[in-house]
Amino acid sequence: LEQTGVELTYDPNTLAVVVVEVAPEQRAVQNLFAPPRDDENDVTLQPAQFSAYINFSATQTYVWENKQAEPPTINIDGAVRVGDFVFEGDAQLGQRFGLTGDEYKFTRNYARFVYDEPDQYRRWFVGDLDPEIRGQQSFVSMGGVGVLRQQRRFNAFRSAILQSNRQLILQRESTVRFLRNGALYRELRLQPGRYDFSSLPLVAGSNDIDIQVSDNSGAIQNLSYQQYLDPIDLDPSDYEYGAFFGPSSRKFGGAPDYKGPIAFTGFFRKAFLNRPAIGIGLQASKDVQTLTGQTQFVLKNGARLLIDAGASNSKSVGQGFAGGVSYEHFIDRQGLSDSFTLRADYLSPHFATLGNLDGINSTSMSFSAQYTRQFDLRFMTTSTASYLKGRNGQGDSYRIGTTGFYRLNRSWTFRAGVDYAKYPNAFNRGNGFSVSVGIVFQPDYRRRAEGRYESRDSLKELSYNQSGLNQLNSLGFGGLVAQQNGNVRAQGYASYSANRFDASVSHASFGPSLSDFGAVNATSVRFGTTLAFADGMFGMGRRINDSFMLLSAHENLGKRSVVAGQSLAENNYIGKSGALGAAVNNFLGSYSVQSVQYDVEDPPTGYDTGPGVFRVRPHYKSGYAARIGTDAFVSATGTLELAPGKPVSLIGGRVTLLDLRDMENPQPIPFFTNSIGRFAIANLLPGRRYLVETYGPNGSIDRGFEFAVPTDTDGLVDLGSVRPTASK
């Protein structure tokens, strides 16, 4: 290989051949800013053809002063997946408050079928719909059929950048500096070769890119170009759409009734290369029709102007119009950044939508602005201003203020702010100047304590929270004490995660003043569990939100438990198998490659439990079934010798099964010895005979020996010293 420009060396510490140097013309193109790849080639386990889970949660509240317990509220939700089809539902049994009195009844929140086409980034719905909206559209509860195409739903690792297929070729070792909009983004030291920088992240709007190359000879080369990123929630050249059709519901809260008219709501948005993105939307029924549109103009230096508008026709109020415009500017300052946003909206008196059939718009115009300034890595301020112009005697309101955040160290942050507000007469209690101060202690992502004061409502509050983990015997707890306008309240809570359930308890006390604190006391207790099934395997565990995996032990492991978790060495398990079924890993998300670690408690010596990790890419609300262990669980060890004291060192070969049975066609097992002739062979079947053959010169099969695996072995067989008995 040296003749081709590739230099190799042997590293005895890693038993590997190491590439020392590659000539520049032989180097593969390296992508400098490549995002993480969601590599499906790593997947080692496929979802079950049939899987299902159901979550149960019961909450009970006891009011001590009344000496009575409120009726329990029971929430039930889950999903059933058959092949590529999913049925999902959510329901509740509890007390409902209505005009005719209280009712304790069963209520369906939603029930629908879902079918995904991941390769097309498309999802279909039939049943209770949850329509997505864009721009000036409004939400309305519907039943029927729907379709939604969104790349980000199925590809979490998509790169939100403008691909430009640009490459950099270096003839000598160089220092390369990438500057974006005049600010240094990254400095790299690179060897000679080809480098792809088309994945350089861009900011919203125009991007002025400068590349400075300084090689070892002292020569400096400058490359410059301009590109812009159109960030209307889409990658350049990508598109999205949604369409939902069916009867609408006029009911607010509870189960939808679908007594409203047949309706349609949908949108289409497209991002282009080197042109502004556009979006259109339509909502229509016999009572109202609304047409909306969006576009934007990308400006220089990371800025953009977004415009959206809508026109409506309502049977009850006639025609209406709505429009909005916003300006956004991102300022990159060599590691620091500022942002400025300005927004203005107008609603005509009769602008109507599916969710507002009669065009009741109490606000005619609204203006808002926000500016965030990062002075350094510790100090940042955010300033906001807003104005609402009322209609039909509602009055105007406005508010302006600024808040500063100063990070004292890694754990402590101080916050202080001032604002002035004016609200309509009905809300004049909050008018005038107000100051606020607060201090936050957050030593890690689990623990957070805060003390704050706000003069507007005379609010004084102290709080602490330590969140639990999705692990066995994990405990979370916290509390809050507050005084506001003379009223005093306190609350404490705790949660516990067990193997087969999770539970929480909270207690709250209220009082009109400090002297009457504790006038009202209420205690709530919640208990939740989950039943899961996948391809004949059952498990009971904690709540499942999306996908899951069940893991149980092979029958030859007896009553030994399988554990699943992220840190087995520290006994941080997510689930553990036992009398109530398989271990449940309840924490898998859809359409991204993830690892599921597992182990067997106290396995027999030499028992092969597998690699200890599965790589999976779950589909939407899918389940996995994994049986840990195998019939071929035996490992054999020994020493291969030509004669006593003469080991056969560093030789390779193969191990084949001799007494084949019906339908068996096993692959040969690799065989090799170390420098003193020791060998180890895994994945052997108990009660069977094997032949070991070693490789001679030119790939010939030179010599070998036979051995038998005892039927009653528990996992490890010591063959002792063995000698070749045959040659070919």
Side-chain angles (χ1 to χ4, degrees):
L1 289 175
E2 291 182 358
Q3 302 300 320
T4 67
V6 180
E7 182 180 344
L8 306 178
T9 189
Y10 173 69
D11 183 0
N13 293 322
T14 60
L15 296 178
V17 176
V18 180
V19 178
V20 177
E21 186 176 353
V22 180
E25 63 273 11
Q26 299 284 42
R27 288 179 177 268
V29 177
Q30 181 179 347
N31 194 331
L32 296 177
F33 304 100
R37 292 191 306 168
D38 193 5
D39 194 352
E40 295 189 49
N41 295 329
D42 294 339
V43 173
T44 58
L45 191 65
Q46 296 300 321
Q49 283 298 305
F50 177 82
S51 61
Y53 70 86
I54 183 168
N55 298 317
F56 296 94
S57 176
T59 304
Q60 179 78 59
T61 300
Y62 183 80
V63 181
W64 293 87
E65 283 65 35
N66 297 338
K67 295 183 179 180
Q68 69 177 25
E70 299 292 336
T73 299
I74 300 175
N75 294 288
I76 304 170
D77 68 275
V80 178
R81 185 180 184 95
V82 181
D84 295 330
F85 293 88
V86 175
F87 173 79
E88 58 182 358
D90 184 288
Q92 178 177 298
L93 178 63
Q95 192 168 14
R96 289 285 180 179
F97 302 95
L99 297 177
T100 58
D102 301 344
E103 291 183 289
Y104 190 73
K105 59 185 296 186
F106 181 84
T107 304
R108 181 191 88 253
N109 294 324
Y110 66 81
R112 55 177 169 255
F113 289 94
V114 178
Y115 175 75
D116 281 350
E117 296 178 283
D119 294 338
Q120 286 75 40
Y121 310 117
R122 188 163 48 230
R123 174 169 292 175
W124 297 85
F125 307 88
V126 176
D128 296 315
L129 304 178
D130 190 14
E132 291 202 18
I133 58 175
R134 299 290 186 271
Q136 299 286 350
Q137 294 181 325
S138 68
F139 176 83
V140 63
S141 180
M142 297 173 60
V145 61
V147 61
L148 188 65
R149 197 260 186 203
Q150 284 180 315
Q151 186 179 158
R152 66 174 176 263
R153 183 186 297 274
F154 298 94
N155 184 6
F157 293 100
R158 69 191 182 101
S159 58
I161 50 84
L162 182 61
Q163 298 288 345
S164 59
N165 298 320
R166 294 183 180 270
Q167 291 189 3
L168 179 67
I169 300 176
L170 301 180
Q171 303 294 338
R172 290 181 288 270
E173 186 176 357
S174 305
T175 298
V176 182
R177 304 175 78 238
F178 290 87
L179 294 93
R180 184 183 60 190
N181 298 325
L184 178 64
Y185 177 75
R186 187 171 298 174
E187 181 174 314
L188 302 168
R189 186 68 176 174
L190 301 176
Q191 297 294 322
R194 298 181 180 89
Y195 297 91
D196 187 314
F197 59 91
S198 63
S199 297
L200 173 69
L202 305 180
V203 298
S206 176
N207 289 260
D208 296 318
I209 306 299
D210 293 295
I211 303 172
Q212 299 176 355
V213 181
S214 302
D215 63 30
N216 286 343
S217 67
I220 298 177
Q221 180 184 11
N222 291 319
L223 305 174
S224 299
Y225 67 97
Q226 287 188 336
Q227 287 184 337
Y228 74 83
L229 175 65
D230 197 349
I232 197 167
D233 300 329
L234 299 171
D235 290 342
S237 76
D238 190 21
Y239 65 95
E240 68 175 10
Y241 58 80
F244 304 87
F245 178 78
S248 57
S249 175
R250 300 287 180 84
K251 189 176 181 181
F252 180 78
D257 56 16
Y258 301 132
K259 295 181 180 179
I262 300 294
F264 171 85
T265 178
F267 63 88
F268 176 85
R269 302 202 307 173
K270 169 74 174 177
F272 299 94
L273 291 171
N274 301 317
R275 283 185 292 166
I278 61 170
I280 58 173
L282 175 66
Q283 292 187 315
S285 71
K286 66 177 183 179
D287 298 323
V288 64
Q289 303 84 42
T290 306
L291 181 66
T292 61
Q294 289 178 293
T295 190
Q296 60 188 0
F297 299 94
V298 179
L299 309 175
K300 293 183 178 181
N301 300 320
R304 69 165 177 166
L305 187 68
L306 177 68
I307 300 173
D308 58 74
S312 68
N313 177 61
S314 172
K315 180 186 296 186
S316 60
V317 296
Q319 289 73 43
F321 169 79
V325 59
S326 67
Y327 173 79
E328 299 176 359
H329 193 180
F330 179 86
I331 305 169
D332 194 342
R333 298 187 294 111
Q334 298 188 8
L336 304 176
S337 61
D338 299 345
S339 63
F340 174 70
T341 302
L342 181 66
R343 175 80 188 186
D345 288 280
Y346 171 77
L347 286 175
S348 72
H350 298 149
F351 180 70
T353 63
L354 286 179
N356 183 14
L357 299 178
D358 297 322
I360 302 175
N361 301 312
S362 59
T363 299
S364 62
M365 290 187 294
S366 65
F367 301 91
S368 64
Q370 177 174 301
Y371 176 65
T372 299
R373 170 77 174 183
Q374 190 176 10
F375 290 89
D376 55 37
L377 294 178
R378 287 191 168 190
F379 182 50
M380 180 182 72
T381 61
T382 297
S383 302
T384 59
S386 63
Y387 172 75
L388 298 177
K389 182 172 181 58
R391 178 181 283 131
N392 300 327
Q394 292 294 322
D396 302 344
S397 64
Y398 59 86
R399 183 173 182 174
I400 184 171
T402 186
T403 303
F405 304 85
Y406 185 77
R407 189 174 184 181
L408 302 172
N409 53 40
R410 291 181 179 272
S411 301
W412 292 90
T413 301
F414 178 74
R415 180 184 75 249
V418 60
D419 70 79
Y420 180 81
K422 179 182 179 300
Y423 299 106
N425 294 332
F427 308 99
N428 59 9
R429 188 178 67 180
N431 287 344
F433 281 99
S434 172
V435 297
S436 64
V437 294
I439 189 165
V440 176
F441 173 69
Q442 190 167 358
D444 52 52
Y445 72 97
R446 292 186 61 194
R447 296 178 293 162
R448 187 180 192 275
E450 181 179 7
R452 64 189 182 108
Y453 169 76
E454 293 183 7
S455 65
R456 171 164 286 115
D457 298 317
S458 187
L459 171 65
K460 310 174 189 69
E461 182 181 279
L462 289 173
S463 64
Y464 177 79
N465 181 72
Q466 179 170 315
S467 59
L469 299 174
N470 186 40
Q471 298 172 347
L472 269 65
N473 303 319
S474 175
L475 183 67
F477 56 90
L480 179 147
V481 179
Q483 183 182 20
Q484 184 176 12
N485 293 325
N487 297 320
V488 181
R489 69 183 188 274
Q491 183 179 12
Y493 50 88
S495 62
Y496 175 72
S497 296
N499 185 29
R500 306 296 187 179
F501 67 91
D502 61 271
S504 63
V505 59
S506 66
H507 181 82
S509 297
F510 308 89
S513 64
L514 281 173
S515 59
D516 292 329
F517 174 68
V520 178
N521 293 272
T523 302
S524 296
V525 178
R526 188 195 64 82
F527 174 87
T529 190
T530 295
L531 306 180
F533 180 88
D535 277 357
M537 192 177 296
F538 169 80
M540 184 176 178
R542 299 187 301 279
R543 177 178 179 82
I544 297 171
N545 292 309
D546 189 348
S547 298
F548 65 94
M549 180 181 289
L550 303 179
L551 304 98
S552 65
H554 193 280
E555 58 183 11
N556 56 33
L557 284 170
K559 295 183 179 180
R560 295 177 175 87
S561 297
V562 173
V563 293
Q566 297 300 318
S567 181
L568 304 182
E570 300 177 4
N571 295 326
N572 292 334
Y573 306 149
I574 293 177
K576 180 179 179 180
S577 66
L580 295 178
V584 181
N585 185 320
N586 64 331
F587 209 60
L588 300 181
S590 300
Y591 301 111
S592 64
V593 177
Q594 299 145 79
S595 296
V596 177
Q597 294 178 279
Y598 68 89
D599 203 351
V600 177
E601 287 192 328
D602 191 26
T605 303
Y607 191 97
D608 182 15
T609 59
V613 61
F614 291 113
R615 293 282 286 170
V616 296
R617 186 177 186 270
H619 294 178
Y620 181 62
K621 296 194 173 179
S622 60
Y624 291 82
R627 190 79 63 183
I628 308 304
T630 175
D631 291 329
F633 65 90
V634 182
S635 297
T637 62
T639 302
L640 182 61
E641 296 180 338
L642 291 174
K646 294 183 178 181
V648 181
S649 61
L650 302 178
I651 194 170
R654 66 187 184 189
V655 182
T656 55
L657 180 62
L658 289 177
D659 47 347
L660 295 175
R661 298 175 183 175
D662 292 342
M663 306 301 292
E664 286 186 339
N665 186 24
Q667 295 296 316
I669 302 172
F671 173 86
F672 61 91
T673 64
N674 65 6
S675 60
I676 60 173
R678 292 286 293 173
F679 62 85
I681 310 170
N683 303 118
L684 302 175
L685 292 163
R688 309 293 287 275
R689 291 193 61 80
Y690 288 87
L691 170 65
V692 177
E693 299 169 302
T694 58
Y695 299 136
N698 302 319
S700 62
I701 300 177
D702 196 17
R703 47 192 176 277
F705 63 91
E706 296 182 13
F707 68 94
V709 180
T711 303
D712 57 352
T713 181
D714 61 358
L716 182 63
V717 176
D718 187 0
L719 299 179
S721 297
V722 296
R723 299 178 184 177
T725 58
S727 297
K728 291 187 179 179

